[in-house]
Amino acid sequence: MDISKHDYLEKVLESHKMKHVSDFVSKHKTKRDEIKSELQSNYTGKIYVPINSGSYAKHTAINIKFDLDIIVPFKRDAFETLEEMFDSVYDFLYEKYKDKATVRKQKVSIGLEFYPDEDGEVINLDIVPGRELNQDKYLEDKKLNLYVNTLYGVLKEKTYIQTNIQAQIDHITAKENERKKIRLLKAWKHHNRETYKSFLLELLVIKAFDQANIDGNLWEKLKKTMEYIQNNVNQEGFTLKDPGNSGNNVIDTLNTNERQKLSDTMKRIIENIEANDDNIKIYFPINEKFEETDTQRGYGIKTASASVSIPPNNTRFGL
Amino acid sequence: MINIELLKETLKCLSFIKNINEINCEDSIIRGSIVILFDGLESSLNFRFEIYPPYPLKYHGSESIKFYNEDLISINHVMQDGSICIHNSHNTDLKQKILMDFDSLKQWIQKYYIDKENDLNYEHIVVEEGLVDENYYSYIFTDISHTFSEGDFGKVDIFPLNNAFYKDKVIQNFLVQKFVFNKSKIPCKWNSHYSNIQASEFGLFYFLDKHPAKMNKFILNNWVEFQGLVSNVFLNYLHQFEKKFLTNSKGNILPLFFGYRTVNNEIHWQVALIKIGAFPIKGEAEILLGIKTGKWNTKLISSDIQWALVRDSSYKYFFGRGTIDKSITESKILIIGLGAIGSMVAKTLTRGGCKYIDIVDYDIKEPENVCRSEYLFQSGLCDKVREIESLLIAISPFIEVTIIKKEYFELIAKMLYKDMESRSHLIANLNEYDIVFDCTTDNDLMHILEIFELTGQIINMSITNHAQELVCAFSPNIYNFVNTQFSEILNNDLEDLYEPTGCWNPTFKASYNDINTLVQFAIKHINNIYKNSKEKNNFVIGTNADELTLEIKEY
């Protein structure tokens, strides 16, 4: 590899920055603010100020996949049941946006996928209704109960989940070092089609920084983070506390085999990159769409830039 | 050539040989006899032996020494001519070999004559293959979904496979397609290709209650031995049958199938060959209380039976010597792209026992494809799919091969994949496959298949120039992995390419051996993943500098 792994990873991060999609994000923000306003008008007296959540709010977003979620905190007495709250918000959003978007019930949220705009872009927003745990205590303790749509819920009997979204957001606030590694692991997850939850990766990285001595340059820090995951995620007794609900051990979302698989994968990534620097490109590819301009490469055109008289450099054989 | 004196001297070393009778040599074959007695053997046993010129080496894979005792043919591993079936150990030292072989005879006596051991594995009855008009005949059958009872008889539809040479004689090979019994057709479980061929010939069958054998191991060799085993109704049917076909088919061979049950209630068949006009039957007047009733019965007459070669080719035995894992063989498989890699994958999976393979390729097979793929020169220019279909069916009578229209991916999928309704139809079609091998090296198709997010497993395979590496990727992580490997990681030589004459279309350089070495290793690894339910990690097989060792790297 022509450049160091540190410099390469900086390029990876740069190419995945949200600034490259600022216009698209603006559209999301405009739509998000509109929905927040509509909800506040409709539920006057029953609702607290909706808060922004999702990876964008947590500054862990990458431009190939990001979430702008809206948490909608309701007062305890606004609805008899959580299901009633969930259905009410769904009905309201459906009536409001049925001609502009696909509105669907998801596990704990209502998903709005707006039809492509004039630029062909699709805005996705998730609205998460929650009801304060104790009457008039939300502003103080930020605790919410979320309705779990049983159609999607893995918790067969449980139809609600207690959380504290603000605590989750605060957990990652002012941790730029951790956020870089989270963004890199999210890039790995998306480019390599891994199915691990982003929230799980976030907590793993934060715990790695908390428990292990993560220092050095960007590659060294990432490597040490992955080593921490490799060495710990498969260990009995390893916990990953949800900052929004201390009773929730997030590592339990993986079974024993899946935890071992994650450990093995981390090991393999480190070994392959140590054996050949170029392998870093497999796991942490640059988002070619936003690769920095230099004398060799321009935006959006890379492997196709071959002369017509010789095959392009990604030519495969076997036919 | 063995020295008789040396033989005598050596045999004297063996205490269980009580007497060595006259040994002589005639036509380069040494013949003699010995008397054996040892502790545990109630009385002495006499054995003749014959030693052939290649001794102590084997001849045609068999021992070049034979022991005989015609009185022991009822014992296990004694053939009808009294020869003892012994597998001896290899030794090129003449004296040592003599000692070992005669000691093997002693061990056989202990195991089968004294201890009367029975082997666990089922042994088919011994059949001496007969020639009819200097031709051998063979009949290949497979399982049926029907249980016959004693005395059931009917028609067997057969068709010729091809004539060949067998032990320097012409052999006519036939495939048993179906049984016709009580007006219902009982098909053999071949694939649709062999099941749908119009049967051009037929035979008759009769189902027996027990093996048609003497001592439960030697097939009956005279027709009168069948008297009482087959019903009078059947014998009368035979008589009527011969009468009916005598005029037009006199002299034609009629295969007569005798079925019986073996292990696990499996059916085995033996086929006797009889000529129309020379059936081994005669009419006999029925006599009651010394008075002829005016009725005639059909009886078997004394004559030798000519037995044909019969082979049980059911899936269990056809693939008994080795298959790939059942999780693959039972899968519905699609192979896209039938170039070097695709044709090798198709053939390997078929020989591995796969039952359902669909194939698609728009390309034509040219003579220059033959040197590094599974195509044959003999078939000339043709659609690749047609030749691979023929090849796979020629290999396995159990594989179902369907050719997918050549424009399915090239035009339809590429044109319509962005249209959501069309896409959902395409996905629904492709979701019928458990495994899709993409051997096209087509980046566009690789992209389309990835965004389809099929429920089945896509396995993408391609190689670098000179077959230095093989890259194999599993869905869902194919596109990024494969592209990065080829564009960023592997040292894919794009200078030293083969330039065919004519239009610009350079291709890679690699021999059949180069490519197939990697493909076989890849399939072995994939099989191991399925067999042991391992993680499907993408991998690259690389050849090291000396090209004599392969290394697999998982990602």
Side-chain angles (χ1 to χ4, degrees), chain B residues 459-470:
Chain B
I459 303 176
N460 183 299
M461 291 167 81
S462 48
I463 55 173
T464 53
N465 192 15
H466 302 121
Q468 283 296 304
E469 293 97 1
L470 181 145

Side-chain angles (χ1 to χ4, degrees), chain A residues 8 11-12 15-16 191 281 284-288 290-291:
Chain A
Y8 174 80
K11 278 173 174 275
V12 173
S15 71
H16 284 91
H191 286 291
K281 297 171 186 172
F284 303 99
I286 288 170
N287 184 0
E288 290 176 6
F290 304 114
E291 191 174 359

Side-chain angles (χ1 to χ4, degrees), chain B residues 244-294:
Chain B
K244 183 178 172 185
F245 288 93
L246 190 60
T247 312
N248 293 328
S249 307
K250 188 177 181 183
N252 285 2
I253 300 279
L254 181 80
L256 191 51
F257 289 71
F258 290 104
Y260 52 94
R261 288 192 186 86
T262 62
V263 282
N264 303 324
N265 234 12
E266 290 172 14
I267 293 176
H268 196 81
W269 299 92
Q270 297 292 349
V271 178
L273 301 167
I274 54 178
K275 279 186 177 177
I276 295 174
F279 279 10
I281 50 175
K282 65 178 179 182
E284 200 172 81
E286 188 181 79
I287 299 172
L288 279 178
L289 303 171
I291 302 165
K292 288 184 179 175
T293 63

Side-chain angles (χ1 to χ4, degrees), chain A residues 268 272 278-279 302 315 317, chain B residues 463 488-489 492 554-555:
Chain A
R268 214 167 42 246
N272 283 339
D278 280 331
N279 280 330
K302 190 184 169 201
T315 299
F317 299 112
Chain B
I463 55 173
E488 305 280 357
I489 314 279
N492 194 13
E554 288 192 47
Y555 282 83

